[in-house]
Structures are given as structure tokens and as C-alpha cells.
């Protein structure tokens, strides 16, 4: 015989099987108590949120955003030999510095051709929150270097890096979505990257606008955001330093060509 208590308990059990957001009882994850649709919606809300700045943040000296292009970066590293720099990186790695761990992985990958060691260090740096390490791991999973090709893991690391403000990861994520035929999602990523100053993303947005994947207002907002971001990276001192850097490079090249002849 069914009692009122049994009915009430059944109602509670049914409620626990439903999504805590939309109340639907299909495809509910046991731990989060949310359906697949709501989980994806929450994930997209985080993924497509405009970061305040790129993962490079601001220069500690002039307090302006770092240029996205490394060649335009006029901040000079300390005058250390390669051996001294590697010892410094090793010391910081032992102190569990995620940036140093990432750089040690780069050393292993480029100088020593040790992809296995690089993968271990990049994984460790990523676990400590280094954004560049996530981007590096996405490349390994994309091409199957040391690890098996895995598009889901590639996408996971790209998304983590993009959320952290990594512009190139955001651009690659957009290309990944475009290759799947999800052009509107790709355009959203390019809008975000453009507003952080990414030239390549702005070029892709022009094509997206022509093909109707982005509205006129959103495209105009992306143009304004891109201009504001690039202007924020400029200053008279940076332009002067860039001119000195270019003149020095030209002088050294002239000296080198003179010696060779």
C-alpha cells in the first residue's frame, strides 16, 4: 500500500534526478546535478566572456599592455649567457615557478629534442596554471608528438588557454570551430581575439562579416576594440625604443656583412 510518506519520498527522488537549473530529468550528471544542455551553456558563458587583457598582462615598468608580437617587445632580458640563463631557469623550476617550468620544457623541446621531457614539464606547468603551457600541450595533441592525437584534449587545452587570455589559442580555437562548420562560434572567438589586438583574427572577421556570420554592429564593435587595444600598446618611449632596436639590428647586420666579405 502506497503511503503519503512514500509518495513524498518518490517526489524527492524524482527532484534529485532533475537538472537543478532547468528541471529537466534527461541527461543529468550525477555530480553536478545539471543536464548536458545547461552544463554546455555554463561552459560557453565562461568561454565567450571577454578577458580584460591578454595573458601577457602589463609591463611592470611602463604599466602598458605587452605587444602581442614578440618582435615588437622592447623589454630586454638580463644580459646572461645561455648557460647562466639555463641555470637560472633550473633554479626557479626547483622552486616550482610555473613560468620557469614552462621555459624548461621549451629548452628540452628545442635545444635537446626531448619531447617526452618537455611534455612532462608542460603538463606540470599547466597544472600550476601556466597559460602558455596549455597552448603548448594543445599542439602536441594536435600533431600527436609523443602523445596520441586527441582532438578533445587539444580543444580542452586551447579553451583553457583562451579563457586565460591567450590570443593565439583563441585564434586556433576559432579555426577549429570553422573547420567543423560552426562559423558563428568561430566568429565569436575572433571577435574576442580582435578586441585584444589580434590582427589575424580581425582579418578573419572581415570574411565572416562578408559571409553573414557576424552582424554589422558586432563587426563595428570588434573594429573599435581592436583599435583601442593596439593604441593601448603604443607610447612615445616604446616607439623610440623600437627605433633604437631596429637601428642596432641594422648596424650589426652591416658589420656582419662587412666581415664576411
Amino acid at each position: 500500500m502506497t503511503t503519503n510518506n512514500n509518495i513524498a519520498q518518490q517526489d524527492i527522488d524524482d527532484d534529485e534526478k532533475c537538472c537543478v537549473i532547468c528541471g529537466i530529468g534527461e541527461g543529468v550528471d550525477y555530480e553536478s546535478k545539471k543536464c548536458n544542455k545547461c552544463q554546455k551553456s555554463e561552459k560557453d558563458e565562461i568561454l565567450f566572456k571577454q578577458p580584460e587583457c591578454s595573458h601577457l598582462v602589463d609591463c611592470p615598468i611602463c604599466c602598458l599592455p605587452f605587444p602581442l608580437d614578440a618582435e615588437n617587445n622592447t623589454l630586454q632580458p638580463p644580459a646572461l649567457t645561455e648557460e647562466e640563463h639555463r641555470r637560472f631557469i633550473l633554479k626557479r623550476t626547483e622552486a616550482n615557478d610555473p613560468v620557469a617550468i614552462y621555459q624548461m620544457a621549451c629548452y628540452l623541446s628545442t635545444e635537446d629534442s626531448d619531447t617526452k621531457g618537455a611534455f612532462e614539464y608542460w603538463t606540470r606547468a599547466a597544472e600550476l596554471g601556466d597559460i602558455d603551457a596549455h597552448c603548448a600541450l594543445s599542439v602536441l595533441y594536435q600533431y600527436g608528438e609523443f602523445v596520441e592525437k586527441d582532438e578533445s584534449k587539444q580543444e580542452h587545452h586551447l579553451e583553457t588557454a583562451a579563457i586565460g587570455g591567450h590570443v593565439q589559442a583563441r585564434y586556433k580555437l576559432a579555426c577549429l570551430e570553422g573547420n567543423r562548420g560552426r562559423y558563428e562560434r568561430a566568429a565569436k572567438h575572433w571577435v574576442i581575439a580582435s578586441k585584444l589586438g589580434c590582427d589575424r583574427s580581425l582579418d578573419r572577421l572581415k570574411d565572416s562579416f562578408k559571409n553573414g556570420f557576424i552582424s554589422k554592429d558586432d563587426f563595428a564593435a570588434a573594429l573599435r576594440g581592436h583599435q583601442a587595444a593596439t593604441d593601448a600598446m603604443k607610447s612615445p618611449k616604446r616607439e623610440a625604443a623600437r627605433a633604437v632596436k631596429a637601428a642596432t639590428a641594422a648596424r650589426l647586420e652591416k658589420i656582419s656583412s662587412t666581415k664576411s666579405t
Side-chain angles (χ1 to χ4, degrees), residues 1-14:
M1 183 176 179
T2 304
T3 64
N4 290 336
N5 288 337
N6 290 336
I7 295 173
Q9 184 61 46
Q10 183 64 42
D11 290 339
I12 293 173
D13 293 339
D14 290 340

Side-chain angles (χ1 to χ4, degrees), residues 101-252:
I101 295 171
Y102 165 78
Q103 292 177 336
M104 179 58 72
C106 294
Y107 263 122
L108 292 173
S109 176
T110 56
E111 302 295 330
D112 301 340
S113 299
D114 182 5
T115 308
K116 178 179 181 295
F119 172 75
E120 292 174 351
Y121 275 101
W122 276 326
T123 300
R124 180 179 162 195
E127 290 172 349
L128 292 171
D130 187 82
I131 299 301
D132 284 311
H134 280 288
C135 197
L137 287 172
S138 74
V139 175
L140 294 186
Y141 283 112
Q142 178 183 1
Y143 295 106
E145 296 184 24
F146 178 69
V147 296
E148 292 184 7
K149 284 187 178 182
D150 192 323
E151 190 173 287
S152 63
K153 289 184 178 180
Q154 175 199 355
E155 186 174 9
H156 163 73
H157 287 293
L158 283 176
E159 287 179 344
T160 304
I163 290 170
H166 199 294
V167 175
Q168 298 308 321
R170 179 76 67 175
Y171 176 85
K172 290 181 179 180
L173 196 58
C175 293
L176 195 63
E177 293 285 21
N179 291 337
R180 294 170 177 167
R182 301 195 286 199
Y183 303 115
E184 291 185 0
R185 290 178 65 86
K188 286 182 180 181
H189 286 302
W190 283 321
V191 166
I192 293 172
S194 294
K195 290 181 178 180
L196 292 174
C198 180
D199 296 333
R200 289 198 300 171
S201 293
L202 188 62
D203 290 338
R204 289 297 189 106
L205 269 185
K206 293 175 183 177
D207 295 331
S208 297
F209 176 63
K210 291 177 183 178
N211 294 321
F213 298 122
I214 180 175
S215 68
K216 183 178 180 180
D217 290 342
D218 287 342
F219 182 55
L223 284 171
R224 290 193 298 270
H226 179 271
Q227 187 63 53
T230 52
D231 287 346
M233 299 175 194
K234 297 177 182 178
S235 74
K237 289 184 177 180
R238 280 191 176 180
E239 294 302 320
R242 195 170 291 118
V244 171
K245 185 179 179 180
T248 302
R251 187 165 59 251
L252 291 175

Side-chain angles (χ1 to χ4, degrees), residues 10 12-19 23-28 33:
Q10 183 64 42
I12 293 173
D13 293 339
D14 290 340
D15 287 341
E16 290 179 350
K17 294 177 182 178
C18 294
C19 174
I24 296 176
E26 296 181 0
V28 177
K33 295 183 179 179

